[in-house]
């Protein structure tokens, strides 16, 4: 009996972090959805808010929360990334992230503007096999904080988001470079209801 109770305790303790993680992700998603409908915080106009059907998300999935090895490039390369509005913006390609999902290895280039560099944030745009079916055809983004002294970063696709330009013509967004494609379904983060 005591062994059975101990086993149950281990199960509960083992599940608690996962449950807490899912609750946190779900709360963050709810907060973002609420901000989209708030006239002073939303990227949408008041008229657009009236017809907006809300944000949609995949269920939180810890399979898509991974440790990535960060390799800083010895020489910063500058990449001109076209925007959806037709203009071109230069980004610094400063690092490469190596990681695995479901025993498959991937690599994603990481970019920065001067402001992102000051704020220690990497810009990770990506496309995957859900684009045009379950997610925005133009891809999604992750804004990734980092610490200069760490060789690994937590890359969490549950926090990937669809750019504002998918919801309103008021914004112009970076197009995802070809080399930032992941050849798998990333069923995590923000999604769209494709009609």
């Amino acid at each position: 009996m005591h062994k059975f109770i101990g086993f149950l305790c281990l199960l509960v303790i083992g599940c608690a972090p996962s449950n807490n993680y899912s609750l946190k992700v779900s709360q963050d998603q709810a907060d973002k959805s609420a901000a989209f409908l708030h006239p002073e915080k939303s990227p949408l106009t008041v008229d657009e808010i009236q017809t907006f059907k809300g944000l949609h998300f995949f269920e939180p999935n810890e399979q898509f929360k991974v440790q990535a090895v960060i390799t800083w490039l010895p020489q910063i390369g500058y990449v001109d990334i076209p925007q959806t509005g037709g203009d071109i913006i230069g980004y610094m390609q400063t690092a490469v992230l190596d990681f695995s999902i479901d025993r498959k290895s991937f690599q994603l280039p990481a970019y920065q503007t001067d402001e992102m560099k000051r704020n220690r944030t990497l810009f990770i745009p990506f496309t995957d096999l859900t684009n045009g079916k379950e997610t925005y055809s133009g891809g999604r983004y992750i804004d990734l904080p980092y610490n200069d002294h760490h060789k690994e970063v937590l890359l969490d696709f549950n926090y990937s988001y669809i750019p504002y330009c998918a919801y309103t013509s008021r914004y112009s967004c970076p197009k995802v470079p070809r080399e930032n494609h992941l050849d798998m379904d990333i069923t995590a983060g923000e999604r769209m209801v494709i009609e």
Side-chain angles (χ1 to χ4, degrees):
M1 182 65 178
H2 291 296
K3 288 183 179 178
F4 179 71
I5 292 172
F7 177 69
L8 282 178
C9 289
L10 284 174
L11 280 179
V12 171
I13 292 169
C15 292
S18 178
N19 289 340
N20 289 340
Y21 171 77
S22 295
L23 286 172
K24 183 183 184 314
V25 172
S26 296
Q27 184 58 58
D28 291 342
Q29 292 171 346
D31 292 344
K32 183 175 181 181
S33 294
F36 247 75
L37 297 174
H38 193 290
E40 294 179 8
K41 299 177 182 178
S42 179
L44 308 177
T45 65
V46 173
D47 289 340
E48 287 171 335
I49 289 174
Q50 300 302 317
T51 58
F52 187 60
K53 296 180 180 178
L55 297 179
H56 302 274
F57 301 90
F58 291 100
E59 289 294 320
N61 186 342
E62 290 198 67
Q63 176 190 8
F64 295 103
K65 182 181 72 169
V66 298
Q67 287 294 127
V69 175
I70 183 166
T71 302
W72 295 101
L73 302 179
Q75 283 190 313
I76 295 175
Y78 286 84
V79 180
D80 289 331
I81 298 182
Q83 311 292 295
T84 56
D87 50 338
I88 295 176
I89 294 180
Y91 286 78
M92 295 177 282
Q93 185 175 336
T94 52
V96 175
L97 303 180
D98 289 278
F99 58 95
S100 297
I101 299 176
D102 196 22
R103 289 179 286 186
K104 295 179 183 177
S105 297
F106 297 99
Q107 190 175 77
L108 278 176
Y111 308 89
Q112 290 180 301
T113 60
D114 287 334
E115 182 180 358
M116 291 173 188
K117 196 170 180 64
R118 285 192 297 272
N119 294 333
R120 288 181 169 75
T121 301
L122 292 171
F123 175 54
I124 316 291
F126 71 95
T127 54
D128 68 278
L129 299 182
T130 67
N131 300 146
K133 297 181 294 183
E134 296 173 282
T135 61
Y136 174 52
S137 58
R140 290 178 286 169
Y141 306 154
I142 296 175
D143 297 327
L144 185 63
Y146 66 89
N147 185 310
D148 286 331
H149 305 293
H150 292 176
K151 295 181 179 179
E152 290 189 343
V153 288
L154 183 63
L155 181 61
D156 194 343
F157 288 93
N158 291 284
Y159 285 94
S160 62
Y161 64 94
I162 292 171
Y164 289 164
C165 57
Y167 300 114
T168 174
S169 59
R170 298 173 63 217
Y171 285 83
S172 178
C173 305
K175 294 183 178 181
V176 178
R178 191 175 303 171
E179 56 268 30
N180 283 62
H181 179 71
L182 300 176
D183 192 27
M184 76 174 297
D185 292 279
I186 303 293
T187 52
E190 193 172 337
R191 62 180 296 178
M192 296 188 82
V193 177
I194 309 295
E195 298 178 350

Short mmCIF file of all heavy atoms in Angstrom, two decimals, residues 81-85 87 89 91 116 123 125 136 138-141 163 165 172-177:
data_model
loop_
_atom_site.label_atom_id
_atom_site.label_comp_id
_atom_site.label_asym_id
_atom_site.label_seq_id
_atom_site.Cartn_x
_atom_site.Cartn_y
_atom_site.Cartn_z
N ILE A 81 16.13 41.81 -45.95
CA ILE A 81 14.92 40.99 -45.90
C ILE A 81 13.74 41.80 -46.44
O ILE A 81 13.39 42.84 -45.88
CB ILE A 81 14.64 40.50 -44.47
CG1 ILE A 81 15.80 39.63 -43.97
CG2 ILE A 81 13.33 39.73 -44.41
CD1 ILE A 81 15.61 39.05 -42.59
N PRO A 82 13.13 41.34 -47.54
CA PRO A 82 11.95 42.03 -48.07
C PRO A 82 10.81 42.01 -47.07
O PRO A 82 10.64 41.05 -46.32
CB PRO A 82 11.60 41.22 -49.32
CG PRO A 82 12.83 40.43 -49.65
CD PRO A 82 13.50 40.16 -48.33
N GLN A 83 10.03 43.08 -47.09
CA GLN A 83 8.85 43.19 -46.24
C GLN A 83 7.59 42.97 -47.08
O GLN A 83 7.60 43.14 -48.29
CB GLN A 83 8.80 44.58 -45.59
CG GLN A 83 10.11 45.01 -44.94
CD GLN A 83 10.47 44.20 -43.71
OE1 GLN A 83 9.79 44.25 -42.71
NE2 GLN A 83 11.57 43.45 -43.79
N THR A 84 6.52 42.60 -46.41
CA THR A 84 5.27 42.34 -47.14
C THR A 84 4.73 43.59 -47.82
O THR A 84 4.00 43.50 -48.80
CB THR A 84 4.20 41.77 -46.19
OG1 THR A 84 4.02 42.68 -45.08
CG2 THR A 84 4.61 40.40 -45.66
N GLY A 85 5.13 44.76 -47.30
CA GLY A 85 4.66 46.01 -47.90
C GLY A 85 5.48 46.47 -49.10
O GLY A 85 5.17 47.48 -49.72
N ASP A 87 8.91 47.19 -49.12
CA ASP A 87 10.22 47.76 -48.80
C ASP A 87 11.19 46.66 -48.35
O ASP A 87 10.81 45.50 -48.22
CB ASP A 87 10.09 48.86 -47.73
CG ASP A 87 9.28 48.41 -46.53
OD1 ASP A 87 8.49 47.46 -46.67
OD2 ASP A 87 9.42 48.99 -45.44
N ILE A 89 14.39 45.80 -45.50
CA ILE A 89 15.06 46.22 -44.26
C ILE A 89 16.28 45.33 -44.04
O ILE A 89 16.22 44.11 -44.21
CB ILE A 89 14.11 46.16 -43.05
CG1 ILE A 89 12.98 47.20 -43.23
CG2 ILE A 89 14.86 46.42 -41.75
CD1 ILE A 89 11.98 47.23 -42.09
N TYR A 91 18.91 43.38 -41.83
CA TYR A 91 19.03 42.73 -40.52
C TYR A 91 20.44 42.17 -40.39
O TYR A 91 21.06 41.76 -41.37
CB TYR A 91 18.04 41.57 -40.37
CG TYR A 91 16.61 41.99 -40.17
CD1 TYR A 91 15.84 42.44 -41.23
CD2 TYR A 91 16.03 41.95 -38.90
CE1 TYR A 91 14.51 42.83 -41.04
CE2 TYR A 91 14.70 42.33 -38.70
CZ TYR A 91 13.96 42.77 -39.78
OH TYR A 91 12.65 43.15 -39.59
N MET A 116 17.20 45.28 -31.24
CA MET A 116 17.16 43.92 -30.69
C MET A 116 18.48 43.56 -30.04
O MET A 116 18.51 42.89 -29.00
CB MET A 116 16.85 42.91 -31.81
CG MET A 116 15.46 42.99 -32.37
SD MET A 116 15.30 41.89 -33.81
CE MET A 116 13.68 42.38 -34.40
N PHE A 123 15.73 37.54 -33.30
CA PHE A 123 14.53 37.43 -34.12
C PHE A 123 14.64 36.13 -34.91
O PHE A 123 15.56 35.94 -35.70
CB PHE A 123 14.43 38.64 -35.05
CG PHE A 123 13.30 38.57 -36.04
CD1 PHE A 123 12.00 38.37 -35.63
CD2 PHE A 123 13.55 38.73 -37.40
CE1 PHE A 123 10.95 38.33 -36.53
CE2 PHE A 123 12.51 38.70 -38.32
CZ PHE A 123 11.21 38.49 -37.89
N PRO A 125 12.51 34.12 -37.46
CA PRO A 125 11.38 33.86 -38.35
C PRO A 125 11.49 32.43 -38.88
O PRO A 125 12.60 31.91 -39.06
CB PRO A 125 11.58 34.89 -39.47
CG PRO A 125 13.07 35.07 -39.54
CD PRO A 125 13.60 34.83 -38.14
N TYR A 136 -0.51 30.86 -40.77
CA TYR A 136 -0.34 31.88 -41.80
C TYR A 136 0.65 31.41 -42.87
O TYR A 136 1.73 30.90 -42.55
CB TYR A 136 0.15 33.17 -41.13
CG TYR A 136 0.51 34.30 -42.05
CD1 TYR A 136 -0.38 34.74 -43.03
CD2 TYR A 136 1.73 34.95 -41.92
CE1 TYR A 136 -0.05 35.80 -43.86
CE2 TYR A 136 2.07 36.01 -42.74
CZ TYR A 136 1.18 36.44 -43.72
OH TYR A 136 1.51 37.48 -44.55
N GLY A 138 2.62 32.94 -44.70
CA GLY A 138 3.91 33.63 -44.70
C GLY A 138 4.85 33.22 -43.59
O GLY A 138 6.00 33.68 -43.54
N GLY A 139 4.42 32.35 -42.69
CA GLY A 139 5.28 31.89 -41.61
C GLY A 139 4.98 32.55 -40.28
O GLY A 139 4.02 33.33 -40.14
N ARG A 140 5.81 32.24 -39.30
CA ARG A 140 5.64 32.79 -37.95
C ARG A 140 6.99 33.25 -37.41
O ARG A 140 8.03 33.00 -38.00
CB ARG A 140 5.03 31.71 -37.03
CG ARG A 140 3.58 31.41 -37.36
CD ARG A 140 3.01 30.32 -36.48
NE ARG A 140 3.53 29.00 -36.84
CZ ARG A 140 3.36 27.90 -36.11
NH1 ARG A 140 2.69 27.97 -34.97
NH2 ARG A 140 3.85 26.74 -36.50
N TYR A 141 6.94 33.92 -36.24
CA TYR A 141 8.15 34.47 -35.64
C TYR A 141 8.26 34.03 -34.17
O TYR A 141 7.26 33.71 -33.52
CB TYR A 141 8.11 36.00 -35.63
CG TYR A 141 7.88 36.70 -36.93
CD1 TYR A 141 7.31 37.98 -36.94
CD2 TYR A 141 8.21 36.13 -38.17
CE1 TYR A 141 7.09 38.67 -38.12
CE2 TYR A 141 8.00 36.81 -39.36
CZ TYR A 141 7.43 38.08 -39.33
OH TYR A 141 7.21 38.76 -40.51
N PRO A 163 2.61 37.25 -37.59
CA PRO A 163 2.83 38.70 -37.67
C PRO A 163 1.53 39.47 -37.88
O PRO A 163 0.55 38.95 -38.41
CB PRO A 163 3.77 38.85 -38.86
CG PRO A 163 3.58 37.61 -39.68
CD PRO A 163 3.25 36.53 -38.71
N CYS A 165 0.75 41.65 -39.94
CA CYS A 165 0.32 41.87 -41.33
C CYS A 165 -0.65 40.79 -41.80
O CYS A 165 -1.32 40.98 -42.82
CB CYS A 165 1.52 41.96 -42.25
SG CYS A 165 2.59 40.51 -42.18
N SER A 172 3.52 46.16 -42.22
CA SER A 172 4.40 45.48 -43.16
C SER A 172 5.35 44.62 -42.35
O SER A 172 5.95 45.10 -41.38
CB SER A 172 5.17 46.51 -44.00
OG SER A 172 6.05 45.86 -44.89
N CYS A 173 5.50 43.35 -42.71
CA CYS A 173 6.26 42.41 -41.89
C CYS A 173 7.37 41.74 -42.70
O CYS A 173 7.23 41.54 -43.91
CB CYS A 173 5.33 41.33 -41.34
SG CYS A 173 3.93 41.98 -40.42
N PRO A 174 8.44 41.35 -42.04
CA PRO A 174 9.54 40.66 -42.74
C PRO A 174 9.08 39.32 -43.33
O PRO A 174 8.39 38.54 -42.66
CB PRO A 174 10.59 40.44 -41.65
CG PRO A 174 10.24 41.38 -40.55
CD PRO A 174 8.75 41.57 -40.61
N LYS A 175 9.47 39.07 -44.57
CA LYS A 175 9.23 37.76 -45.16
C LYS A 175 10.29 36.79 -44.66
O LYS A 175 11.45 37.16 -44.49
CB LYS A 175 9.27 37.85 -46.69
CG LYS A 175 8.15 38.69 -47.28
CD LYS A 175 8.20 38.70 -48.80
CE LYS A 175 7.04 39.50 -49.39
NZ LYS A 175 7.07 39.49 -50.88
N VAL A 176 9.90 35.57 -44.42
CA VAL A 176 10.81 34.58 -43.85
C VAL A 176 11.83 34.15 -44.90
O VAL A 176 11.45 33.69 -45.98
CB VAL A 176 10.05 33.36 -43.32
CG1 VAL A 176 11.01 32.32 -42.76
CG2 VAL A 176 9.04 33.78 -42.25
N PRO A 177 13.14 34.28 -44.60
CA PRO A 177 14.15 33.81 -45.55
C PRO A 177 14.01 32.31 -45.83
O PRO A 177 13.59 31.54 -44.97
CB PRO A 177 15.48 34.10 -44.81
CG PRO A 177 15.14 35.22 -43.87
CD PRO A 177 13.73 34.94 -43.44
#
